[in-house]
Each structure stands twice: as structure tokens, then as C-alpha cells.
Amino acid sequence: MFQIGCHLSIAGGFLAMAKDAIQIGANTLQFFTRNPRGGKAKPVDEKDMADFRNLIQQHGFKVILAHASYTLNACAATEAIRQFAIETMADDLARMEYLPGNLYNIHPGSHVGQGVEKGIEYIAEALNAILKPCQQTTVLLETMAGKGSEIGRSFEELRLILDKVELNAKVGVCLDTCHVYDAGYDIVNDLEDVINAFDRIIGLNKLHAIHLNDSKNPFQSHKDRHEKIGQGTLGLETFSKIINHPQLRHLPFYLETPNELEGYAEEIALLKSLYKEK
């Protein structure tokens, strides 16, 4: 089954978000656990979450993806900022236990001049602090475009983090198509080579989700500006190859393109038309 969804707002509650997803033809979804620029999360509404779980189960949603706030930086130079990231992610994971068996995506962070090695050390320490043996959520590290001092611009950097995580079965990777292209992985002309490199360095068993985003910028630009599907430098053919690739087609795909609900509905319909059922 083709699992396709987009990023939706939980401002109106989980049940309302599920209804929006169903309305636009999605069968999975992504949401921010709290304000994407930081701040406190709303109190847990257990009935709303229960109604949400029931509705998405009825409509065949296999897995959903929560996204941490952009402002969290687990490898910041300031200890207070690192501690805030740890406390916030721990709180997010506690909330995710009301939605068991799903995914939680984080941006690894920026080392802000401390160096990649120190940044990786801090990120691994944060993951070791928040992961629990009994948790039912898998935490995903997102591939990054390489702006400034971002960690995660290469598969090797992500591998180094994963290798330091004690509860390794609780972590994986979310691949962002815009980010990897901007970082220097040519998924337009050499998709097979990129997939093979990922498998060799990280392992495809660690790839749990894909962000489907076109890019406003050229290859290896390190800019990270998303574009609508087929309207950027990746092009529609690239997305057709990705969603139909035998080693990727089983994964859930999430749109983070610059769209409102109507635009997402159009993109979901377009991608469904490109997906080749076996």
C-alpha cells in the first residue's frame, strides 16, 4: 500500500487533524508536537487522542510521524540550551506513548563552532538520556542540507551518531529529498548510487520514513528551501522513481512542500497517479 501524507496542524486537535488528512486523500500524516519555533505543548487530551487513533485505524493509517520543534539544538554550545532540548524531547516522547508504535523525527542540531565531533557526542548523549527500553516510539534523525554548522549533512555523520546510541533499536533515519540533494547526494541522476551508499553506510533497515520535497535550489547548494513537487530542481520524474523504487516503496512518504490543504490534496493525487501498484 502506498503510504502518502503531508504535514498538518494539530491546532484544532488530533481528531480534526485526522479528518483533514482523510479529506485530502492522505493515509498517513506528520505533525509538530508543539509550536515549531518552540514553546509549551498543550495538555494531553486523552479522549481526543483516543478518537484520533480510532479514526486513523478505520482508514488504514499504518504509521504517523511526529516532528520535534525546529528550535531544539541538542548539540548547542550552551549547556542550558542542550538541557532544554533534552527535556522537551523527553516530554514529547512521553506524550507519544498515547500514540504507540509511531515515529518521532528530530533535526540533529548545529554544533555552532564546536566541531562535528563534539556535536555528534552531544547528540548521542541527548539520545541516550531520553530513550527508554519500554518506549514504543522510534526516534528518527533527519538528513540535513548542510546549512552553517548543521550535523547530519552526510550519511557518515548520522552513522557516527547511531553508533553511539545505547538503545540502537529505538533510533533510525528520515531521509529528506530536498536536503540530501542540497547536501550533495545526486538523487536526480544517480538515485541507485545514493541508495546503495545509504545502505552501505547506515543500512536501509534504519530508514523508516521519507520527506518528499522538491528543492528551490541547485544541487549541492546547502540551502534547504523546499519547493512543490515537480516544480523545483529535482523534477517530477525523480519523485516517480523514488516512490516506486523496490527498496523504498514500502516506506511512508510525507510532503513538507509550501502548500495549504488544497495544494496538498493535488500533490497527493498526483503522486498516487505515479505510484505503480504491484
Side-chain angles (χ1 to χ4, degrees):
M1 180 181 74
F2 184 36
Q3 300 173 74
I4 180 67
C6 63
H7 193 97
L8 296 171
S9 171
I10 58 167
F14 278 88
L15 182 60
M17 179 173 63
K19 290 178 178 178
D20 283 342
I22 293 163
Q23 175 190 338
I24 61 175
N27 57 6
T28 185
L29 59 86
Q30 176 180 275
F31 65 95
F32 279 119
T33 54
R34 61 192 69 216
N35 188 304
R37 299 300 173 188
K40 293 183 178 180
K42 291 182 178 180
V44 173
D45 184 335
E46 294 189 32
K47 184 181 185 304
D48 183 44
M49 284 193 167
D51 291 342
F52 169 79
R53 289 196 306 268
N54 289 335
L55 186 60
I56 63 174
Q57 185 177 21
Q58 291 169 20
H59 287 267
F61 287 45
K62 289 186 176 181
V63 65
I64 60 171
L65 179 61
H67 199 304
S69 297
Y70 291 138
T71 50
L72 300 183
N73 189 2
C75 61
T78 305
E79 183 178 357
I81 296 175
R82 297 197 303 273
Q83 188 59 36
F84 175 75
I86 290 171
E87 292 171 0
T88 302
M89 291 189 292
D91 183 55
D92 284 348
L93 288 178
R95 292 165 177 273
M96 287 298 292
E97 290 301 291
Y98 289 93
L99 304 169
N102 289 296
L103 306 169
Y104 176 66
N105 184 71
I106 66 171
H107 289 185
S110 297
H111 65 72
V112 289
Q114 301 174 96
V116 172
E117 185 176 350
K118 192 64 177 178
I120 287 171
E121 179 184 328
Y122 279 142
I123 296 163
E125 287 178 2
L127 290 170
N128 286 329
I130 65 172
L131 296 174
K132 308 298 179 188
C134 59
Q135 76 180 52
Q136 300 179 68
T137 302
T138 302
V139 177
L140 306 185
L141 299 170
E142 185 170 338
T143 58
M144 303 306 294
K147 293 188 302 179
S149 62
E150 280 181 340
I151 302 288
R153 69 182 68 199
S154 71
F155 299 157
E156 286 84 358
E157 288 182 3
L158 294 176
R159 177 76 261 175
L160 287 170
I161 298 170
L162 295 172
D163 284 345
K164 293 178 182 293
V165 177
E166 294 162 4
L167 295 175
N168 197 264
K170 303 292 185 182
V171 290
V173 173
C174 174
L175 186 147
D176 186 298
T177 55
C178 170
H179 294 178
V180 294
Y181 189 68
D182 283 13
Y185 291 96
D186 193 355
I187 56 174
V188 174
N189 300 300
D190 298 306
L191 177 61
E192 204 66 41
D193 287 345
V194 175
I195 293 172
N196 289 338
F198 186 99
D199 192 28
R200 183 178 67 255
I201 297 165
I202 296 177
L204 284 168
N205 63 310
K206 284 294 187 183
L207 182 58
H208 291 265
I210 293 181
H211 284 159
L212 284 181
N213 299 304
D214 214 324
S215 176
K216 290 181 181 291
N217 290 290
F219 177 64
Q220 214 167 7
S221 62
H222 305 293
K223 295 290 187 182
D224 183 13
R225 292 190 65 207
H226 298 186
E227 180 57 281
K228 296 176 182 179
I229 298 298
Q231 296 183 28
T233 54
L234 274 69
L236 193 58
E237 184 180 354
T238 297
F239 292 100
S240 179
K241 290 178 180 178
I242 289 170
I243 64 176
N244 287 294
H245 194 281
Q247 291 176 290
L248 305 178
R249 58 183 289 119
H250 65 286
L251 294 167
F253 297 93
Y254 302 94
L255 295 160
E256 296 178 319
T257 49
N259 271 311
E260 301 296 333
L261 283 180
E262 183 179 353
Y264 278 134
E266 292 172 357
E267 286 189 333
I268 288 169
L270 171 62
L271 290 164
K272 283 182 175 180
S273 74
L274 297 175
Y275 188 76
K276 301 168 185 174
E277 297 286 355
K278 287 188 175 180

